[in-house]
Amino acid sequence: QSRLVESGGGLVQPGGSLRLSCEVSGFTMNYYAIGWFRQAPGKEREGISCIDSSDGSTYYADSVKGRFTISRDNAKNTVYLQMNNLKPEDTAVYYCAANDLTVPTMPMSRLEYDYWGQGTQVTVSS
């Protein structure tokens, strides 16, 4: 059974950092692009970052570029999202998802992703 489990969310002050983890089981992560999405209350789920499985190319939404870093450790079946300089507008439920294309055609589109985790809450507030 394919499964993705996010962890690492929590409450952090503006300017702080968090590292989210996405642990994959039930399929070989090596052949999948992995993306991070987030959904704030009353808003649509948006793609914020993706890492492909070909050469590790990374993609970022403009809203997080320069602050967030995605990485993957295939040996641990885990993808990470390092989030620095967090802002209140980053508050959302964060999801990871797997795309069976090694190089995604639309890395920020949720329509391309086949498997999803249950999400982890990130709250940025003073």
Side-chain angles (χ1 to χ4, degrees), residues 1 6 11 19 22-23 37 40-41 47 57 71 83 91 93 108 126:
Q1 181 179 356
E6 303 93 340
L11 173 64
R19 188 176 81 156
C22 172
E23 187 170 357
F37 292 73
S57 293
S71 61
M83 307 187 296
T91 295
V93 178
M108 301 303 175
S126 55

Side-chain angles (χ1 to χ4, degrees), residues 56-102:
S57 293
T58 56
Y59 309 82
Y60 297 97
D62 288 343
S63 58
V64 305
K65 198 173 293 182
R67 300 188 297 124
F68 291 10
T69 302
I70 190 170
S71 61
R72 65 192 294 155
D73 185 338
N74 287 340
K76 295 183 178 179
N77 288 331
T78 302
V79 171
Y80 304 98
L81 186 68
Q82 178 67 43
M83 307 187 296
N84 297 328
N85 190 22
L86 283 160
K87 305 175 181 180
E89 52 264 42
D90 295 317
T91 295
V93 178
Y94 283 69
Y95 300 88
C96 63
N99 179 339
D100 67 1
L101 297 176
T102 55

Side-chain angles (χ1 to χ4, degrees), residues 7-62:
S7 61
L11 173 64
V12 63
Q13 291 187 342
S17 298
L18 283 174
R19 188 176 81 156
L20 304 184
S21 299
C22 172
E23 187 170 357
V24 172
S25 61
F27 61 94
T28 304
M29 195 183 79
N30 304 41
Y31 304 112
Y32 285 74
I34 304 294
W36 283 98
F37 292 73
R38 67 185 182 187
Q39 188 166 17
K43 295 189 176 181
E44 290 191 358
R45 191 171 299 187
E46 63 168 340
I48 57 172
S49 188
C50 172
I51 185 165
D52 76 21
S53 62
S54 174
D55 60 3
S57 293
T58 56
Y59 309 82
Y60 297 97
D62 288 343

